[in-house]
Amino acid sequence: MDDRPPVIIGAGPAGSRAAATLAAAGLAPIVLDEAPRSGGQIYRRAPAGFTRPYRALYGFEAAKARRLHDAFDRLAGKIDYRPDTLVWDLRQGALHCLSGGQSRAVPYRDLILAPGARDRIIPFPGWTLPGIYALGGAQIALKYQGCAIGTRIVFMGTGPLLYLVAYQYAKAGAMVAAVLDTAPFAAKRRALPGLLRGGAIFAKGLWYVAALRARGIMVANGVRPVAAEGDAAVSALLYRDAAGRERRLSCDAIAFGFGLNSETQLADLAEIPFIFDPVQQQFLPERDIGGRTPVRSVYLAGDGSGIAGADAAELSGERAALALLEDRGHDVARPRIATLERKLRDIAGFRVALETAFPFPADIAAGMSDETILCRCEAVTAGEFRRAAGALKAGEINRAKAFSRCGMGRCQGRVCGPAAAIVLAAALNLPPERIGRLRGQPPVKPIPMAVA
Ligand SMILES: Cc1cc2nc3c(=O)[nH]c(=O)nc-3n(C[C@H](O)[C@H](O)[C@H](O)COP(=O)(O)OP(=O)(O)OC[C@H]3O[C@@H](n4cnc5c(N)ncnc54)[C@H](O)[C@@H]3O)c2cc1C
């Protein structure tokens, strides 16, 4: 048996459960996370010293958040937990980690990648105005810092997070001007039989919508953003309602997002092959239900391997840790593995219903106006991107990036890449899977020049 400690990237639900599983088997994994405290996105902890109660911070998820946090805290002394540590590169068997302004290499043999997800963005005219946030960013401001992003806020986009964050703002006392969902009502009706399989999760979703309406907040389906307006900062959102009528809502902040994208750059640097997932409409690293990848000793867990939510993240974290243990020659409990896999399959079925209810509005990206800033890091408009790609006959997203600089800035295409692929696919009249995906590049997140 090889007793070198495995390394886990991410201390969210997936990484936390993986760490607990490995620790229970007598291994002391290294757990790296760029955040100052464990918990990940959904169970993000407030800064030390903040005293808001669990119920106020996590609502229905308070008991789960406490259980996960307590379980992780009990691992102290049994794992090597390194918070405030950003893994910015992975090459030749080592992770390159930035912590305290210094980069150090952490060699690994067995690795569990559990880096979670980020908001899925589709640029629309005016989206770079001050006062406009991703939904997740708006939630972090509220959950972590106890701040609202504005005094009159429009929530726009689609997916469960849209309603959850709008509800959290309304409950915190912020003025929610409207919740505008791009998904048509008919899509939700169509998804109903599958959604009902979600039990409590579906019931919570209905409750959020009812609670928003009970507060007199307008909730509209089937909308399309037209433009954010404003001079120094956003002052209104122009949109088309389901009947195609143009409407204007005054506001001083907009939170928007169209679901989530898995964080896959580290998987890419680990040379895991990718395949196009037709349900989630994105390229994902290959793995089996146990989290094993075609690259030996590298495992995937949680939303970083495909969006499935917090409960699935915990289950897949445990499952990946059991796969790792099994591959190291430990005895593992077969019945437990069977239970984990059955639950993961059930959640995957519910996920299909969610994607049906909240379809990704690819048409917004495909029809993006030429003037819209597509890549804000490099200030490349959709028109410049189309022209550069067209003139130089780039039929693949990485070539289009080289010709246009779209995706070459600080975010390395994490924000604009998925939308840029759809813009290119539409311009060439090809399906998005033919356009490919932006290859992961180090640094996977911005770091100081002096470090690289
Ligand atoms: C902004 C945001 C808010 C969300 N809020 C909710 C919510 O309120 N309710 C809900 O049901 N779902 C929410 N989700 C979905 C939610 O993320 C998941 O379902 C769940 O948290 C997934 O767990 P995970 O362990 O896979 O990933 P996460 O919880 O995202 O944890 C991943 C961890 O990896 C760390 N990490 C990532 N990259 C690196 C790196 N390169 N180096 C070091 N550390 C790294 C992150 O700091 C993070 O702590 C949210 C998603 C996002 C993006």
Side-chain angles (χ1 to χ4, degrees):
M1 281 190 204
D2 185 331
D3 283 336
R4 272 182 298 169
V7 181
I8 300 170
I9 301 178
S16 296
R17 185 78 90 88
T21 308
L22 294 179
L27 302 186
I30 298 171
V31 181
L32 307 167
D33 198 303
E34 63 176 317
R37 304 186 74 193
S38 71
Q41 297 292 5
I42 174 168
Y43 307 130
R44 179 182 291 275
R45 297 201 208 196
F50 276 41
T51 53
R52 275 178 296 161
Y54 269 69
R55 185 76 203 168
L57 273 170
Y58 306 108
F60 288 130
E61 315 307 329
K64 284 188 192 168
R66 187 183 288 283
R67 179 180 50 73
L68 192 91
H69 293 165
D70 289 351
F72 192 83
D73 292 346
R74 280 196 300 275
L75 296 176
K78 297 184 190 147
I79 65 172
D80 178 357
Y81 170 45
R82 305 183 193 177
D84 286 315
T85 302
L86 169 71
V87 182
W88 63 271
D89 193 6
L90 180 162
R91 71 186 116 101
Q92 293 167 352
L95 304 167
H96 295 267
C97 303
L98 177 68
S99 181
Q102 303 253 309
S103 185
R104 292 186 188 82
V106 176
Y108 69 88
R109 202 206 73 166
D110 293 328
L111 178 65
I112 297 181
L113 293 170
R118 62 179 183 280
D119 288 277
R120 197 182 216 188
I121 294 301
I122 303 176
F124 60 97
W127 73 290
T128 54
L129 277 169
I132 304 186
Y133 293 74
L135 274 173
Q139 191 194 46
I140 290 170
L142 189 66
K143 209 189 263 186
Y144 189 66
Q145 289 145 339
C147 298
I149 59 169
T151 58
R152 188 177 154 79
I153 309 157
V154 175
F155 290 84
M156 190 271 291
T158 198
L161 205 56
L162 175 71
Y163 294 93
L164 172 64
V165 183
Y167 166 75
Q168 288 170 331
Y169 264 76
K171 186 160 173 268
M175 149 89 94
V176 175
V179 180
L180 305 178
D181 191 339
T182 54
F185 184 70
K188 293 168 189 171
R189 208 173 31 220
R190 214 170 25 250
L192 193 60
L195 290 175
L196 286 168
R197 289 173 53 194
I201 300 179
F202 178 51
K204 279 182 248 176
L206 289 180
W207 198 87
Y208 295 138
V209 178
L212 288 162
R213 289 195 198 276
R215 285 175 162 83
I217 295 166
M218 177 175 73
V219 177
N221 291 292
V223 307
R224 285 293 175 272
V226 174
E229 299 177 332
D231 295 326
V234 65
S235 58
L237 176 71
L238 200 60
Y239 70 98
R240 257 194 305 279
D241 67 16
R245 285 182 298 255
E246 220 164 82
R247 297 187 177 274
R248 175 177 280 101
L249 264 174
S250 64
C251 60
D252 63 1
I254 297 173
F256 81 108
F258 301 90
L260 299 173
N261 273 129
S262 299
E263 290 284 18
T264 56
Q265 299 80 2
L266 290 170
D268 207 354
L269 296 177
E271 299 184 357
I272 298 171
F274 279 57
I275 42 173
F276 189 77
D277 183 304
V279 176
Q280 304 201 2
Q281 289 287 303
Q282 54 188 290
F283 281 92
L284 292 172
E286 264 184 56
R287 57 159 176 106
D288 65 14
I289 193 161
R292 289 184 179 90
T293 73
V295 177
R296 199 163 164 259
S297 300
V298 180
Y299 306 82
L300 291 168
D303 274 3
S305 57
I307 308 302
D311 292 349
E314 280 197 60
L315 298 169
S316 68
E318 181 178 346
R319 180 62 190 92
L322 290 174
L324 186 156
L325 287 168
E326 200 176 10
D327 295 348
R328 279 193 172 212
H330 289 246
D331 283 335
V332 292
R334 296 266 139 224
R336 180 65 188 155
I337 287 180
T339 303
L340 290 170
E341 293 189 353
R342 180 180 44 75
K343 289 184 177 174
L344 283 167
R345 284 198 184 91
D346 285 351
I347 293 175
F350 179 60
R351 191 74 226 166
V352 174
L354 278 180
E355 298 288 344
T356 308
F358 303 104
F360 177 65
D363 60 294
I364 300 176
M368 196 179 297
S369 68
D370 276 350
E371 299 72 36
T372 305
I373 293 179
L374 171 58
C375 166
R376 77 187 298 175
C377 300
E378 295 289 312
V380 181
T381 64
E384 287 163 344
F385 178 67
R386 287 186 182 109
R387 280 192 291 279
L392 296 160
K393 299 198 172 26
E396 189 269 335
I397 187 74
N398 292 284
R399 279 175 72 75
K401 169 184 166 182
F403 295 153
S404 65
R405 296 199 60 79
C406 176
M408 253 192 220
R410 279 167 59 88
C411 89
Q412 297 276 27
R414 287 168 64 239
V415 176
C416 64
I422 297 170
V423 171
L424 186 59
L428 298 176
N429 207 14
L430 289 173
E433 57 270 34
R434 290 275 302 281
I435 293 302
R437 66 195 168 82
L438 284 180
R439 282 188 291 271
Q441 302 280 352
V444 299
K445 291 187 185 170
I447 56 170
M449 288 293 283
V451 172

